[in-house]
């Protein structure tokens, strides 16, 4: 018989462990920072963890799932049951101000503001994206898509450095 | 609401994503510029991810122990239920972009409506995928305007692509017994409602692109019942060769 208090401690411990599991493609942020871990429950068979993919085709999803299972097991919390959930749909709004700051320090411009509401028109002006190196907003998008599904490519006119921007969705 | 109709409907959605995703992936390493190479591969990745989720759901309703991979790699052309427009060979860049634009404009409306589906799992997938589709539509729509309202060469290629692909757009709004059963169960939206929204998007972009909308006339049909063009068989031969030659292979 496991008391509710012990269950809560186990869940809190699991959150702390996953706070140290870094995203394989954006290693400045943990899977908790990114909002990929949605819920942790204590069930009869052990811990049950809900994960949500950032993009449907994100190839890191399988690696993240494995990293989460291994980290929980290595912390002595047993092999968890993982469930992939799609709703509510993942949004960059779940990335905290502190995580956004660390993203910028890592060299990736964080999502600007909150996710757009409604459909954006063609050639609609992009929000000003600050260069993560020099801070100038005199920047230009060079590609709407980047090295991973979650990023776009930019270049800074002030310091001439190219950089990645974490797309706001 | 029989599971067979549900299975059939999910197969149509998933197969269209899978086939178009594979077509786009054929551009990888061949696009006219690096940024476009990355863009087309990214869109391909999103579509393949959506196909994975949709086919997993289809397999669940089929209830025969198959999974998404089995559906994707171990079926022959006659068992595929994708829209014919998705299997059209890539052609030139204008052709690929026009095909993408016509498809994206449809997918945005479809997913937008499916996000309110009474099938909660499907609604979850659609609610997520609609964000991706909107991003794709901006990309393909902006390119249609650039090509159509660009040079005489790009204009004529875009117009040729539009004329060639137009007869494949009717299939997006076909209604048959499967669709009727899903509409009645509030799982799928009425195709007629999608068509009016799609037409608005297409008309706006074509006008800005200075392209002439082809007259409505005879439309291609067959994809939804498994009658495909020769092109699909050739594509599947490439797409499926690895799991077919090495059954059960893992990496």
């Amino acid at each position: 018989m496991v008391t509710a208090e012990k269950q809560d401690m186990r869940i809190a411990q699991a959150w702390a462990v996953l706070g140290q599991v870094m995203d394989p493609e954006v290693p400045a942020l943990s899977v908790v920072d990114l909002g990929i871990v949605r819920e942790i429950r204590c069930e009869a068979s052990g811990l049950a963890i809900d994960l949500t993919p950032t993009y449907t085709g994100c190839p890191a999803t399988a690696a993240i799932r494995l990293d989460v299972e291994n980290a929980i097991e290595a912390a002595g919390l047993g092999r968890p049951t993982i469930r992939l959930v799609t709703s509510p749909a993942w949004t960059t709004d779940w990335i905290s101000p502190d995580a956004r700051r660390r993203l910028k320090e890592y060299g990736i411009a964080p999502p600007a503001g909150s996710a757009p509401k409604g459909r954006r028109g063609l050639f609609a002006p992009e929000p000003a994206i600050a260069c993560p190196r020099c801070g100038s907003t005199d920047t230009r998008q060079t590609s709407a898509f980047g090295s991973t599904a979650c990023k776009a490519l930019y270049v800074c006119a002030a310091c001439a450095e190219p950089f990645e921007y974490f797309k706001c969705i | 609401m029989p599971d067979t109709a549900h299975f059939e409907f999910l197969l149509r959605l998933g197969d269209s994503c899978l086939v178009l995703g594979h077509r786009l992936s054929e551009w990888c390493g061949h696009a006219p510029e690096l940024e476009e190479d990355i863009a087309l591969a990214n869109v391909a990745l999103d579509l393949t991810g959506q196909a994975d989720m949709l086919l997993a759901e289809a397999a669940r309703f089929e209830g025969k122990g198959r999974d998404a991979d089995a559906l994707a790699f171990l079926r022959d052309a006659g068992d595929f239920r994708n829209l014919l427009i998705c299997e059209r060979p890539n052609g030139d860049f204008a052709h690929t972009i026009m095909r993408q634009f016509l498809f994206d404009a449809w997918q945005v409306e479809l997913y937008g409506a499916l996000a309110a589906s009474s099938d909660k799992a499907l609604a979850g997938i659609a609610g997520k995928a609609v964000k991706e589709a909107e991003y794709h539509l901006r990309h393909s729509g902006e390119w249609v305007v650039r090509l159509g309202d660009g040079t005489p060469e790009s204009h004529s290629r875009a117009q040729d692509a539009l004329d060639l692909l137009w007869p494949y757009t009717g299939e997006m709004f076909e209604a048959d017994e499967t669709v009727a059963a899903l509409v009645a169960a509030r799982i799928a939206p009425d195709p007629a409602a999608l068509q009016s929204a799609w037409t608005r998007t297409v008309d706006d972009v074509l006008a800005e692109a200075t392209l002439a909308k082809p007259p409505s006339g005879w439309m291609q049909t067959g994809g939804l019942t498994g009658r495909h063009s020769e092109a699909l068989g050739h594509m599947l031969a490439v797409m499926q060769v690895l799991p077919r030659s090495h059954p059960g292979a893992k990496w």
Side-chain angles (χ1 to χ4, degrees):
Chain A
M1 183 67 195
V2 188
T3 64
E5 200 177 326
K6 274 189 179 159
Q7 286 191 356
D8 288 347
M9 274 176 63
R10 216 162 150 222
I11 291 170
Q13 202 185 339
W15 278 106
V17 167
L18 296 186
Q20 302 300 316
V21 174
M22 297 295 142
D23 181 276
E25 285 176 344
V26 190
L29 299 186
S30 76
V31 292
V32 174
D33 289 330
L34 278 165
I36 292 171
V37 184
R38 300 313 305 154
E39 196 183 342
I40 304 179
R41 295 177 305 278
C42 208
E43 294 177 350
S45 57
L47 286 176
I49 301 175
D50 286 356
L51 302 178
T52 194
T54 52
Y55 285 76
T56 53
C58 179
T61 306
I64 289 170
R65 183 189 178 130
L66 203 61
D67 288 350
V68 165
E69 285 173 341
N70 290 342
I72 293 290
E73 197 170 24
L77 294 166
R79 197 79 180 163
T81 313
I82 307 287
R83 196 171 61 130
L84 284 180
V85 296
T86 50
S87 184
W90 180 82
T91 165
T92 41
D93 292 352
W94 291 341
I95 303 176
S96 70
D98 178 59
R100 287 173 192 236
R101 181 185 54 77
R102 278 182 283 132
L103 201 55
K104 186 176 165 230
E105 282 169 7
Y106 184 70
I108 299 172
S114 50
K117 302 275 178 285
R119 211 187 299 176
R120 294 188 55 183
L122 302 185
F123 301 107
E126 298 282 337
I129 308 300
C131 171
R133 291 184 180 79
C134 75
S136 168
T137 51
D138 187 8
T139 61
R140 179 174 62 85
Q141 188 186 78
T142 49
S143 172
F145 296 86
S147 62
T148 65
C150 54
K151 287 174 280 184
L153 300 177
Y154 276 73
V155 65
C156 176
C159 70
E161 284 288 332
F163 65 92
E164 290 186 304
Y165 166 60
F166 206 101
K167 293 185 317 208
C168 190
I169 71 161
Chain B
M1 176 60 218
D3 280 359
T4 46
H6 212 146
F7 166 67
E8 189 71 20
F9 182 69
L10 289 164
L11 209 51
R12 291 176 182 181
L13 298 179
D15 282 350
S16 286
C17 292
L18 179 67
V19 170
L20 186 56
H22 186 83
R23 276 290 183 230
L24 288 176
S25 77
E26 293 172 353
W27 275 103
C28 195
H30 303 279
E33 55 184 27
L34 183 60
E35 287 77 9
E36 249 345 271
D37 207 286
I38 297 169
L40 295 175
N42 262 279
V43 177
L45 186 64
D46 285 341
L47 290 176
T48 310
Q50 293 166 18
D52 186 32
M53 288 186 177
L54 292 165
L55 292 180
E57 276 298 294
R60 203 164 65 78
F61 278 98
E62 187 193 31
K64 288 186 180 166
R66 294 201 279 188
D67 60 8
D69 280 346
L71 288 175
F73 296 115
L74 302 177
R75 280 181 303 150
D76 291 326
D79 296 326
F80 271 74
R81 296 290 182 266
N82 58 282
L83 299 171
L84 294 174
I85 195 171
C86 299
E87 72 200 47
R88 297 303 308 148
N90 286 335
D92 60 13
F93 182 67
H95 190 273
T96 289
I97 284 295
M98 188 60 73
R99 180 185 64 193
Q100 198 60 36
F101 166 67
L102 297 169
F103 179 86
D104 291 341
W106 170 71
Q107 217 188 22
V108 162
E109 302 303 337
L110 177 68
Y111 282 152
L114 285 175
S117 172
S118 64
D119 173 347
K120 293 300 165 211
L122 178 57
I125 296 169
K128 179 162 192 60
V130 69
K131 297 191 196 192
E132 297 166 2
E134 283 170 0
Y135 204 82
H136 301 165
L137 177 60
R138 277 178 63 201
H139 179 254
S140 60
E142 288 176 2
W143 264 115
V144 166
V145 173
R146 285 195 189 97
L147 294 174
D149 196 19
T151 66
E153 175 74 12
S154 71
H155 177 88
S156 94
R157 287 191 184 222
Q159 186 67 54
D160 286 351
L162 181 61
D163 294 344
L164 202 67
L165 289 164
W166 192 255
Y168 291 94
T169 56
E171 233 187 354
M172 297 172 179
F173 311 105
E174 265 182 30
D176 60 5
E177 283 177 8
T178 297
V179 172
L182 280 121
V183 171
R186 298 184 182 279
I187 293 168
D190 183 355
L194 295 183
Q195 186 159 20
S196 53
W198 177 85
T199 303
R200 273 196 301 278
T201 306
V202 169
D203 286 354
D204 286 354
V205 171
L206 293 185
E208 198 177 342
T210 70
L211 293 168
K213 183 178 170 179
S216 58
W218 179 80
M219 288 285 172
Q220 292 275 3
T221 182
L224 304 186
T225 50
R227 286 180 293 121
H228 293 277
S229 65
E230 185 187 359
L232 182 65
H234 292 290
M235 195 204 92
L236 292 182
V238 174
M239 190 184 90
Q240 297 181 333
V241 66
L242 196 78
R244 295 263 194 177
S245 307
H246 306 276
K250 300 228 182 278
W251 82 37

